[in-house]
Amino acid sequence: MSAGWTDHLIVAPIVLPLAAAALTLFLDERQRRLKASVALLTVLALLFVSTLLLQGAASSGFAGEPATTAYHLGNWPAPFGIVLVIDWLSALMLVLTSGLGLTTLVYSLAYWDRAGPRFHTLFLLQLMGLNGAFLTGDLFNLFVFFEVLLAASYGLLLHGSGVQRVQAGLHYVSINVATSLLFLIGVALIYGVTGTLNMADLAIRIPAVAGSDLPLLQSGMAILGTAFLLKAGMWPLGLWLPRSYAAAAPPVAALFAILSKVGVYAVLRVYLLLGGEGGWAANFGDEWLLYGGMATIAFGTVGILASRTLMRVAGYSVIISSGTLLAAIGAGQGAVLGGVLFYLVSSTVGICAFYLLIELIERNEADAALKVEPVFEDEYTGSLETGEEDETGVVIPATLAILGGGFVFCVLVISGLPPLSGFVAKFAIIHGLLGLRSEIDWPVWALISLIILSGLATIIATTRAGIDLIWTPSEQPQPLHLAEAVPVGVLLAACLGLAIFAGPTMRYMERTGQSLGDRQGYVQKVLIEGPADKHARSR
Amino acid sequence: MLKVTSESLLWLMLALPFLGSLLSSILPARKRNTAGILAGVVMLLASVVAIGLYSSISEGSVVRSRIPWLPSLGLEIVLRLDGLSWLFAALVLVVGFLVVVYSRYYMSPEDPVPRFFAYLLAFAGSMVGLVLSGNLIQLVFFWELTSLFSFLLIGYWYHNERARSGARMALIVTATGGLCLLAGVMLLGKIAGSYDLDAVFLAADRIRQSELYLPALGLILIGAFTKSAQFPFHFWLPHAMAAPTPVSAYLHSATLVKAGIFLLIRFWPVLAGTEAWFATVTTVGLCTLILGAWVAIFQQDLKGLLAYSTISHLGLITLLLGLNSPLATVAAIFHTLNHATFKASLFMAVGIIDHETGTRDIRKLSGLARYMPITATLAVIAAGAMAGVPLLNGFLSKEMFLAEALDLHRESFAGRTLPFLATLALAFSVLYSVRFIHQSFFGPPPQDLPREPQEAPRWMRMPIEVLVVACLVVGMVPALTVAPLLGAAAYSVLGPNTPSYSLAIWHGFNAPLVLSLLALLLGALGYVLFGKRLNRQDGTPLVGVFKGRRAFETVLSLLIRGARRTMEFVGTRRLQPQLRVLVLAACFAGLLPFLRYGYQGGTKVGTPLDPAFALIWLVGGICAVAAAWTAKYHRFAALILMAGAGLVSCVSFVWLSSPDLALTQLLVETVTTLLLLLGLRWLPARSRDLWPGSRTPWRVRFRRGGDVTLALAAGSGIALLSYAIMTREMPNSISRYFVEHSYPDGGGRNVVNVILVDFRGFDTLGEMTVLAIVALTVFALLRRFRPAPESVRSPEQQRLQDASDDAREGRERGDTLADYLLVPRTIMEWLFPAIIVLAFYLLMRGHDLPGGGFAAGVTMSIALILQYLASGTRRVEDRLRVHPLRWMGSGLLLAVVTGLGAWWFDYPFLTSWFRYVDLPLLGEVPLATALLFDIGVFLLVIGAIALILVAIAHQSIRTTRRRPEPPLAVKSGEEEA
């Protein structure tokens, strides 16, 4: 195994699901098990590869070498061809994505992958889009992968059909297509001013932009930012989010937990890389992130209190999570990034588990929306209504205890109460905020209060719903399948693990945060150490 | 050696309850004895460990053991055992053991007790963790765990409504407090520069002088007061009585509510000593003391009486802590201990009464002493301790309290009134104690009790006996028993400031004793005078109108209603406003920099405007505006107009010499327009009459006006931006590289194509994927598509044709349809091979001349669409097997495999290779891997468009279910649009 072989690993998180998805296109609906196996194997491999990549980044990073590795696609030198970049942050996001992917996929195998055609293909392509967005080092390529992940999310959101889902799905499509247009306009303006798309190259060129071009560049960045913030769900751009997520099939909604984080990721990546130290872009974005983020937390808090269903509660916790992330990024720049990233991982995993669990808790009512009168003879109605033979078949006793326990765990993670990772995450953020300056100014006070109040609102909203659903005596709950219970358990165990191994995890997150401020290192690895011309052998 | 052992013992003490909890939680629900024994053994072991550790702290030393948890944020797990934490830990574990023994006999055999014991043990573990915390954050951590497990314990009988609402209330109140506490200790940590408890103790002066002291104090006090049920947060505690009695005995005597007290004592050296502390803590303590005692008098439920008495005693302890005097703090610690012993035994006694008689209603009970003499004796002694009868432990701490109250030589209102108020509160406590005892155990035999009373089983009484013996022993020989423990605890709080005091029954005939006797007398007198009347009293006079629970529920529901109301203003679920917000935000974001720096066009001189070009653009503009105008009600017209606008962009591309773009645009326009036209047929009709009297309301006109303005603003914004960009000098852009390297390194003269398949082939791979996904999504959506009822039947024209076939002799139904547009159809069918050849031509030449895989693929799919249009779905599919999914799969795979091929030569993914070769007939042909990639694009595009086409086409051959074709309505209908 040559050294070159591991270099190529960077492209695997994108190519692997793509190839697997292409393969599943050759299988028809009757070969569901085969498709499921292909998907499962692929996602397992993805998890393995991304763990390897994370390990690689961390081991070289902790050893004092740069953790950043660039991969020059087509062997074109850097600002001209497209580069993929693996570094602390992208490796982390890859592991998170594949972890969530694996759990939600296993969950969906119990029931949901039969609810409509081509689930596995769309699912794999969704992962490909996410991975691509996290890996790319090129602004236009980021747009392409945004399109991939959005297109796949359209398909997945509509998966399972039904009036509500189609309504919410088309709503979602409209909003996101409009936003993609903004993305494109922003990228075009930035290209028009700087003449490059490579992020590392941009980081060099932007400080040198002439004064007369500045408003154009800023305008482009701001429009691009609007697009990112809409994906992240910032108020008032994120009003679409709770409804869309609530309409999605549960494993899809659970996977979508990371979708809104892509917006946050893009903000982190693009704005920290492109905004010079104390430069104009930094000042330009910060206040908007801080106040917008705070408005988002407030909105999410009000929304979570107003929610009537658990799906909505989960939707607004996505909003709160995004708001917290954005505001903390805006308030603190580098200092709180460790906590921010820890919170990002913890809240994503927690919300993912929550979406999966809600379905199990509310199962008795869930079916009603799906039973639609077929209009045509040939309509694909099969498995949803009849529910094929029990494949996993193992029925766990004490369903209620497991659901109750899982629910409590989820609430603890999301609201930030001990002993799970949510507590550590919120503590780390508040700690970072308090340590920013010796004087605490009012926006920081307000932000800390909002973070705490949003946790409280989550507790109030979830205890009400949880007590009504879990503690109120009712008829025997439907049995659980192992394939459904295990993913939830794994996700929650991950939250527990994050809390127990908070020390090493936080060390990783802090290094990630530092690396984001290290423009020089990034530029060096991406731009300067690439192939000089096309036919130079890569390393 | 000893140090190592005591450190590991600390960990053992903390871990044991949690381990036991884990074991108990996996026991089957019916394993009642196993769970009981397990819990008992665990508690006993942990107690033994705790007692064994006494020697290591008795000399005022501190045992510490630390494990790094989050070292970079100053968060370590520090177990820190000193006199105070030892006292509390021992109390938690020993009382815990007694409660476990008691529960084993109390809980009914049907209850799934393993779960109960699991919660109880975990709760005990959290309490131990709390008192052992040597780090502020760790303290909050365990603090919240106690809230959580107490919630589960209170809600243990969750099938009844009171347990659910009581548990929820307790959780919300204490968790709120916990969050405040977290914020408070983090402020403390900020001032002290560390979360380590010892460091915080060292920084005490700095903390008190800091400007963050007041916020920190406020937040920490809210935490302590909510937990210890201090006024005005006391209301949750009586509702927590819905828990099983052993839980109440545990939570409300030695543990949960004492956590707040523990916190106040723990932080006493740091936070006390200021005016703010004195004012807040004494006021809250005094209010709670008097209010709790007053309300307790009027309770008819024994547990309710004990609950309010607990509140009152907690108030007493808080009051003592607020006095800023070391001696009062010693008294507070002492009373905490005493209260725990007598209150736990009283709760258990009430549990026995409830268990044996079936009721806790004080009015129904009477004369139980003759049925359960031992329990009665025990209860009398414990109640005596509660009332502060001499020779019992409660008396001693009460004396200290009175002495402190008298000692408050302040020329203030508080200083002068405190002794009187204290005496009054103590008199109340005597009154309710006497009422409790006399009413339940003495007097005539009880009538119509739900059960025949009898003495409780021996093991159920044992825990009470132990506790009551403790009350007696401490009360009689304090110096020999409790003094050293108390001394160690006091020393760990006060350090060298520990005052000298003596624990003795007799201090001479002094003022505290007088007040104490006065209180006893008044209380007894009160019962004699009002005892019977109290039984008839419904609700508490003066304060009974304040219903804590109702207020709590009201606040919550107001909160929720307020939230829902607010959502109507700050949120919307409708698409239009959301899009409006989006466009508005984008306009604003794009505009802002120009407001700051001003707008400046570029310096380049524009080319002179050609009138012909201007005309073309005028037409295009009109088409675009008209399309938007008609989009709502005339979809067909809008579509055609959009195609017109698209054509104008094609022409512009040609005009501006970019043939590649023009070709692609033209083909894409064609296909999208065709597919959309095919789709129109299934859309529901739109009716225009929305408003009564066909008058558009002003509100709507206003909104539409706003939308138009916004659209104009956005459009002009984009125009201005484009103008500014295009009139500027091009920056030193990467595009030059593409032009220069396209032929030498990419092997193609068509730069656009080389960019697409080589320089930025990865983008193309992504876009291919997007196309594939969109096709799949459309397909999935249309598989389950249910058209509006009015569009299900066949089109009007077809129905007319069929009707005429039916009407005429010698014609079969469908004949007219078959002949319809015969000539154009034949031409279209014959075009098939020609277009295919064109597609291949475009594909092959793409690398050097306009064309390429995408254009070729679209062309090919146009050929296919034409076939469907000409011959109809059934006929095409009879003759031509289309497998769009396989085409798509092959296309994607080919592209991926081409990219992967580079790995073989150790180049990165998608590295291309090319050579020009001479082929017979074709001449010199570029042979590049990029062509393979392009073929992948070609296949995918055909597949994707074909899939969408098939999905739409199959709508018309689906047979409707149970819905007979409605009879033809013969009337001249409007255009299908």
Side-chain angles (χ1 to χ4, degrees):
Chain A
M1 199 183 293
S2 72
W5 187 86
T6 43
D7 282 342
H8 293 308
L9 218 52
I10 298 180
V11 84
I14 300 171
V15 171
L16 200 62
L18 175 59
L23 275 180
T24 56
L25 287 178
F26 291 97
L27 306 173
D28 72 18
E29 295 297 330
R30 277 158 300 190
Q31 290 156 295
R32 195 185 67 81
R33 283 186 199 201
L34 191 55
K35 280 200 286 193
S37 334
V38 171
L40 202 58
L41 279 177
T42 312
V43 180
L44 273 172
L46 274 183
L47 186 60
F48 178 70
V49 169
S50 37
T51 315
L52 273 186
L53 288 171
L54 179 100
Q55 217 172 26
S59 62
S60 59
F62 281 125
E65 295 159 32
T68 312
T69 313
Y71 185 78
H72 296 78
L73 287 159
N75 211 25
W76 293 105
F80 311 109
I82 297 171
V83 284
L84 299 183
V85 182
I86 186 95
D87 65 354
W88 295 92
L89 181 58
S90 45
L92 176 69
M93 298 307 287
L94 286 184
V95 172
L96 185 60
T97 308
S98 43
L100 254 53
L102 183 62
T103 40
T104 46
L105 180 67
V106 170
Y107 183 96
S108 66
L109 293 184
Y111 179 78
W112 279 102
D113 67 337
R114 279 161 280 172
R118 303 288 154 195
F119 176 79
H120 299 106
T121 316
L122 291 172
F123 191 92
L124 287 171
L125 293 176
Q126 174 80 73
L127 294 184
M128 170 206 171
L130 287 165
N131 290 340
F134 295 137
L135 277 173
T136 187
D138 185 284
L139 209 50
F140 186 77
N141 197 239
L142 180 65
F143 170 73
V144 170
F145 279 109
F146 257 79
E147 287 307 296
V148 174
L149 72 90
L150 283 175
S153 74
Y154 304 154
L156 284 178
L157 180 52
L158 291 165
H159 176 79
S161 216
V163 177
Q164 277 196 338
R165 212 161 271 154
V166 172
Q167 270 178 1
L170 293 180
H171 184 143
Y172 175 79
V173 173
S174 315
I175 290 275
N176 278 292
V177 168
T179 314
S180 298
L181 194 62
L182 289 183
F183 195 142
L184 207 54
I185 293 172
V187 172
L189 284 174
I190 292 173
Y191 178 71
V193 173
T194 61
T196 189
L197 291 167
N198 181 292
M199 292 190 204
D201 200 22
L202 278 171
I204 294 180
R205 291 196 191 197
I206 282 180
V209 164
S212 60
D213 285 342
L214 215 52
L216 270 180
L217 179 64
Q218 282 198 5
S219 186
M221 301 267 279
I223 291 175
L224 188 65
T226 312
F228 289 159
L229 293 177
L230 181 128
K231 312 283 187 210
M234 182 193 268
W235 186 84
L237 299 170
L239 299 177
W240 54 273
L241 194 146
R243 181 185 175 195
S244 309
Y245 282 29
V252 172
L255 184 65
F256 280 10
I258 200 170
L259 223 56
S260 60
K261 302 299 183 287
V262 181
V264 177
Y265 166 86
V267 168
L268 263 180
R269 177 68 87 194
V270 173
Y271 281 81
L272 287 183
L273 190 64
L274 303 190
E277 270 136 24
W280 55 267
N283 299 333
F284 184 69
D286 276 1
E287 287 187 354
W288 288 103
L289 287 183
L290 175 60
Y291 296 118
M294 275 163 41
T296 312
I297 306 177
F299 172 68
T301 307
V302 173
I304 213 167
L305 285 174
S307 300
R308 290 168 209 270
T309 63
L310 278 180
M311 280 306 252
R312 292 269 171 175
V313 168
Y316 285 106
S317 19
V318 175
I319 299 245
I320 291 177
S321 153
S322 284
T324 309
L325 289 167
L326 294 172
I329 294 170
Q333 281 254 302
V336 281
L337 279 182
V340 163
L341 292 167
F342 195 98
Y343 179 78
L344 188 151
V345 174
S346 154
S347 69
T348 310
V349 175
I351 291 171
C352 178
F354 195 41
Y355 269 119
L356 295 183
L357 199 68
I358 291 172
E359 142 85 350
L360 300 180
I361 293 173
E362 292 185 332
R363 174 161 291 173
N364 295 326
E365 291 123 86
D367 287 9
L370 284 169
K371 289 232 169 76
V372 199
E373 278 282 288
V375 180
F376 295 109
E377 296 285 2
D378 64 334
E379 221 164 299
Y380 180 80
T381 53
S383 50
L384 247 201
E385 279 85 359
T386 54
E388 282 174 24
E389 76 281 20
D390 261 358
E391 280 170 276
T392 30
V394 187
V395 173
I396 302 174
T399 305
L400 205 62
I402 289 173
L403 289 182
F407 187 79
V408 170
F409 266 52
C410 278
V411 170
L412 292 179
V413 176
I414 295 173
S415 61
L417 288 185
L420 298 178
S421 54
F423 173 73
V424 181
K426 285 203 172 173
F427 161 70
I429 289 186
I430 297 178
H431 175 86
L433 288 175
L434 284 177
L436 279 179
R437 286 168 217 96
S438 56
E439 294 285 306
I440 306 175
D441 44 4
W442 77 264
V444 173
W445 275 122
L447 177 54
I448 293 176
S449 322
L450 275 172
I451 291 176
I452 287 175
L453 283 177
S454 66
L456 184 61
T458 311
I459 298 171
I460 292 176
T462 46
T463 44
R464 187 180 65 222
I467 287 176
D468 284 352
L469 285 165
I470 298 177
W471 270 3
T472 308
S474 64
E475 69 271 41
Q476 201 58 28
Q478 289 196 11
L480 279 181
H481 281 205
L482 259 186
E484 292 168 329
V486 170
V488 179
V490 168
L491 287 168
L492 293 175
C495 290
L496 188 62
L498 274 179
I500 293 174
F501 301 105
T505 318
M506 192 60 85
R507 209 154 67 94
Y508 185 94
M509 304 299 183
E510 278 165 353
R511 286 301 299 267
T512 310
Q514 288 162 11
S515 78
L516 286 174
D518 177 24
R519 262 168 234 102
Q520 238 77 60
Y522 185 88
V523 169
Q524 170 77 22
K525 284 305 264 190
V526 174
L527 220 48
I528 302 175
E529 293 181 8
D533 85 281
K534 182 184 166 175
H535 295 288
R537 269 199 181 239
S538 65
R539 284 173 286 278
Chain B
M1 188 62 210
L2 182 73
K3 200 161 162 27
V4 174
T5 357
S6 49
E7 279 179 19
S8 44
L9 281 179
L10 269 186
W11 288 103
L12 185 67
M13 181 161 74
L14 177 61
L16 268 174
F18 285 112
L19 278 179
S21 165
L22 215 62
L23 283 178
S24 181
S25 68
I26 54 174
L27 283 178
R30 277 178 300 282
K31 292 279 182 195
R32 165 160 195 263
N33 284 325
T34 323
I37 291 168
L38 173 75
V41 168
V42 164
M43 286 285 203
L44 190 61
L45 269 179
S47 310
V48 169
V49 171
I51 293 165
L53 277 167
Y54 176 69
S55 60
S56 52
I57 53 100
S58 57
E59 301 302 319
S61 55
V62 178
V63 183
R64 288 187 195 82
S65 172
R66 47 185 83 221
I67 295 182
W69 183 21
L70 243 179
S72 62
L73 303 186
L75 180 47
E76 292 179 305
I77 301 187
V78 185
L79 296 191
R80 185 182 179 282
L81 188 73
D82 61 5
L84 182 69
S85 42
W86 182 87
L87 189 67
F88 271 88
L91 201 59
V92 166
L93 291 169
V94 172
V95 176
F97 170 69
L98 297 174
V99 167
V100 166
V101 174
Y102 179 79
S103 315
R104 162 63 188 81
Y105 294 92
Y106 180 86
M107 300 303 281
S108 118
E110 286 90 58
D111 260 314
V113 266
R115 184 159 60 90
F116 174 81
F117 284 122
Y119 293 160
L120 196 75
L121 286 170
F123 175 77
S126 315
M127 277 306 294
V128 171
L130 171 66
V131 299
L132 290 183
S133 291
N135 183 295
L136 299 183
I137 306 301
Q138 178 195 351
L139 188 142
V140 179
F141 181 92
F142 284 110
W143 177 278
E144 294 285 32
L145 279 188
T146 59
S147 297
L148 178 66
F149 287 112
S150 65
F151 164 74
L152 292 172
L153 280 170
I154 297 170
Y156 174 71
W157 282 331
Y158 57 72
H159 44 80
N160 78 48
E161 206 279 326
R162 283 186 56 221
R164 289 200 299 268
S165 68
R168 176 163 181 242
M169 195 190 296
L171 179 72
I172 290 180
V173 174
T174 54
T176 310
L179 289 171
C180 292
L181 178 65
L182 174 66
V185 298
M186 289 193 70
L187 288 180
L188 271 195
K190 180 178 167 63
I191 308 171
S194 166
Y195 296 119
D196 194 82
L197 200 57
D198 291 304
V200 172
F201 285 151
L202 286 177
D205 288 330
R206 194 142 41 89
I207 290 170
R208 278 190 293 262
Q209 279 149 19
S210 162
E211 56 187 25
L212 289 176
Y213 169 74
L214 278 184
L217 176 69
L219 288 165
I220 292 175
L221 286 183
I222 292 179
F225 291 165
T226 48
K227 200 82 159 187
S228 285
Q230 295 296 297
F231 174 81
F233 307 114
H234 61 281
F235 55 86
W236 66 266
L237 195 143
H239 293 284
M241 291 299 140
T245 301
V247 172
S248 310
Y250 196 38
L251 261 52
H252 303 136
S253 64
T255 54
L256 181 69
V257 293
K258 291 291 165 60
I261 300 294
F262 171 79
L263 189 76
L264 292 178
I265 303 176
R266 185 88 280 179
F267 285 135
W268 197 87
V270 181
L271 296 176
T274 62
E275 269 308 308
W277 170 275
F278 173 77
T280 335
V281 180
T282 45
T283 312
V284 168
L286 187 62
C287 287
T288 315
L289 166 65
I290 293 175
L291 182 83
W294 173 252
V295 180
I297 297 173
F298 300 95
Q299 297 304 305
Q300 310 295 7
D301 178 346
L302 284 179
K303 274 178 90 175
L305 184 150
L306 291 183
Y308 280 103
S309 122
T310 301
I311 292 175
S312 159
H313 280 270
L314 292 169
L316 190 157
I317 300 171
T318 308
L319 173 59
L320 279 170
L321 289 169
L323 293 176
N324 280 342
S325 118
L327 203 55
T329 305
V330 177
I333 300 174
F334 190 30
H335 195 68
T336 306
L337 187 65
N338 294 337
H339 175 251
T341 45
F342 66 68
K343 195 48 70 66
S345 52
L346 282 173
F347 267 115
M348 292 187 200
V350 167
I352 289 181
I353 295 176
D354 190 10
H355 205 253
E356 303 303 332
T357 66
T359 182
R360 298 193 308 251
D361 191 329
I362 217 164
R363 291 163 296 194
K364 288 191 187 155
L365 296 170
S366 175
L368 291 179
R370 67 197 76 189
Y371 301 101
M372 38 176 83
I374 305 177
T375 309
T377 316
L378 295 171
V380 168
I381 298 172
M386 177 160 79
V389 174
L391 293 182
L392 296 169
N393 60 357
F395 173 73
L396 298 176
S397 44
K398 193 181 68 174
E399 288 296 276
M400 292 171 86
F401 166 54
L402 287 171
E404 280 303 307
L406 285 167
D407 203 31
L408 193 70
H409 292 302
R410 289 189 192 228
E411 290 311 311
S412 64
F413 182 69
R416 267 174 279 139
T417 48
L418 189 59
F420 300 101
L421 292 174
T423 314
L424 185 66
L426 291 178
F428 287 162
S429 103
V430 173
L431 172 49
Y432 63 68
S433 306
V434 174
R435 178 163 183 248
F436 169 34
I437 292 304
H438 188 259
Q439 199 70 45
S440 28
F441 292 110
F442 299 98
Q447 266 131 39
D448 32 277
L449 286 179
R451 245 173 265 157
E452 185 64 26
Q454 54 175 38
E455 188 56 272
R458 188 166 171 274
W459 284 99
M460 204 165 166
R461 290 191 322 257
M462 185 280 280
I464 312 182
E465 287 161 5
V466 173
L467 290 166
V468 165
V469 167
C471 290
L472 282 167
V473 172
V474 170
M476 285 190 264
V477 278
L480 294 180
T481 49
V482 81
L485 311 183
L486 186 59
Y491 181 78
S492 67
V493 177
L494 301 166
N497 297 335
T498 311
S500 56
Y501 56 89
S502 80
L503 292 181
I505 315 168
W506 182 252
H507 285 110
F509 195 76
N510 51 13
L513 187 63
V514 172
L515 288 183
S516 186
L517 292 177
L518 188 65
L520 279 172
L521 210 69
L522 276 176
L525 196 66
Y527 182 68
V528 172
L529 290 179
F530 303 111
K532 292 293 160 230
R533 219 185 295 171
L534 283 177
N535 283 354
R536 294 191 297 273
Q537 178 75 30
D538 198 19
T540 311
L542 297 180
V543 293
V545 285
F546 302 109
K547 298 262 188 290
R549 178 178 171 187
R550 188 179 299 165
F552 174 80
E553 299 288 349
T554 312
V555 168
L556 267 194
S557 70
L558 273 180
L559 199 64
I560 286 160
R561 224 176 314 147
R564 291 197 176 138
R565 180 66 58 80
T566 317
M567 283 308 276
E568 290 167 17
F569 294 102
V570 298
T572 168
R573 294 181 182 186
R574 292 174 46 236
L575 178 62
Q576 277 84 351
Q578 291 180 6
L579 282 173
R580 201 174 294 138
V581 167
L582 172 64
V583 178
L584 209 63
C587 282
F588 181 69
L591 184 66
L592 210 57
F594 294 103
L595 289 181
R596 203 181 288 176
Y597 299 100
Y599 177 81
Q600 232 182 332
T603 48
K604 269 202 250 179
V605 189
T607 42
L609 187 66
D610 189 309
F613 193 61
L615 186 68
I616 293 173
W617 265 71
L618 188 67
V619 172
I622 292 172
C623 280
V625 172
W629 193 268
T630 52
K632 193 162 184 182
Y633 298 114
H634 303 282
R635 300 190 186 108
F636 181 72
L639 207 52
I640 299 301
L641 287 164
M642 254 165 64
L647 267 179
V648 168
S649 14
C650 290
V651 174
S652 315
F653 287 137
V654 175
W655 193 282
L656 299 171
S657 10
S658 49
D660 241 305
L661 283 184
L663 179 66
T664 313
Q665 177 78 20
L666 184 68
L667 291 167
V668 169
E669 282 291 333
T670 314
V671 168
T672 42
T673 309
L674 275 174
L675 289 178
L676 283 172
L677 279 174
L678 290 175
L680 274 191
R681 182 235 176 287
W682 297 104
L683 295 187
R686 284 208 77 144
S687 55
R688 223 174 206 300
D689 297 318
L690 279 167
W691 314 109
S694 68
R695 280 177 59 91
T696 320
W698 281 107
R699 187 170 44 83
V700 179
R701 290 190 190 190
F702 183 73
R703 195 188 65 216
R704 287 184 188 161
D707 286 351
V708 167
T709 319
L710 185 59
L712 284 175
S716 344
I718 290 292
L720 285 171
L721 283 175
S722 320
Y723 180 77
I725 286 282
M726 285 188 286
T727 50
R728 229 153 268 248
E729 288 300 327
M730 265 303 278
N732 177 25
S733 138
I734 52 172
S735 58
R736 187 166 307 144
Y737 179 91
F738 295 147
V739 178
E740 284 164 6
H741 289 73
S742 162
Y743 188 65
D745 286 338
R749 291 188 189 86
N750 179 359
V751 185
V752 176
N753 185 268
V754 179
I755 291 178
L756 285 180
V757 297
D758 199 341
F759 291 119
R760 299 190 68 93
F762 199 60
D763 279 344
T764 311
L765 190 65
E767 290 297 352
M768 286 167 74
T769 317
V770 173
L771 194 55
I773 299 169
V774 169
L776 286 175
T777 304
V778 169
F779 180 68
L781 191 59
L782 291 183
R783 277 285 284 275
R784 291 212 144 195
F785 173 68
R786 284 168 199 80
E790 67 265 28
S791 8
V792 170
R793 33 185 214 170
S794 43
E796 178 139 15
Q797 181 184 336
Q798 204 171 319
R799 276 178 281 149
L800 283 169
Q801 287 169 340
D802 288 348
S804 94
D805 282 343
D806 289 345
R808 274 188 281 170
E809 287 290 318
R811 284 186 81 89
E812 290 279 310
R813 196 169 217 227
D815 281 356
T816 314
L817 185 62
D819 293 343
Y820 185 64
L821 287 179
L822 190 58
V823 177
R825 271 168 45 192
T826 316
I827 300 175
M828 278 151 86
E829 280 173 15
W830 279 99
L831 270 177
F832 193 50
I835 301 182
I836 291 176
V837 172
L838 174 67
F840 274 105
Y841 174 64
L842 286 174
L843 173 67
M844 295 304 292
R845 72 175 207 159
H847 218 46
D848 292 316
L849 290 164
F854 184 79
V858 179
T859 312
M860 186 81 164
S861 57
I862 290 176
L864 203 60
I865 295 175
L866 284 180
Q867 290 311 299
Y868 270 82
L869 287 180
S871 322
T873 312
R874 286 189 199 284
R875 215 168 132 208
V876 175
E877 292 186 353
D878 284 344
R879 294 185 291 177
L880 196 68
R881 294 206 61 80
V882 191
H883 294 288
L885 289 169
R886 290 190 198 165
W887 287 78
M888 283 163 59
S890 326
L892 284 176
L893 275 184
L894 183 60
V896 168
V897 169
T898 310
L900 289 179
W903 284 7
W904 186 259
F905 304 97
D906 205 16
Y907 278 109
F909 187 68
L910 277 180
T911 307
S912 63
W913 174 90
F914 67 92
R915 183 92 352 132
Y916 279 80
V917 282
D918 258 323
L919 286 186
L921 281 179
L922 293 174
E924 193 188 47
V925 175
L927 207 64
T929 52
L931 182 65
L932 281 180
F933 185 83
D934 226 9
I935 293 176
V937 177
F938 174 71
L939 294 177
L940 177 98
V941 171
I942 300 174
I945 298 179
L947 186 63
I948 298 175
L949 174 69
V950 167
I952 298 177
H954 279 221
Q955 293 297 325
S956 57
I957 58 168
R958 298 168 95 182
T959 43
T960 46
R961 175 188 267 209
R962 290 193 305 271
R963 214 189 286 267
E965 187 89 350
L968 177 71
V970 188
K971 71 168 197 208
S972 56
E974 308 131 320
E975 283 289 314
E976 172 84 23

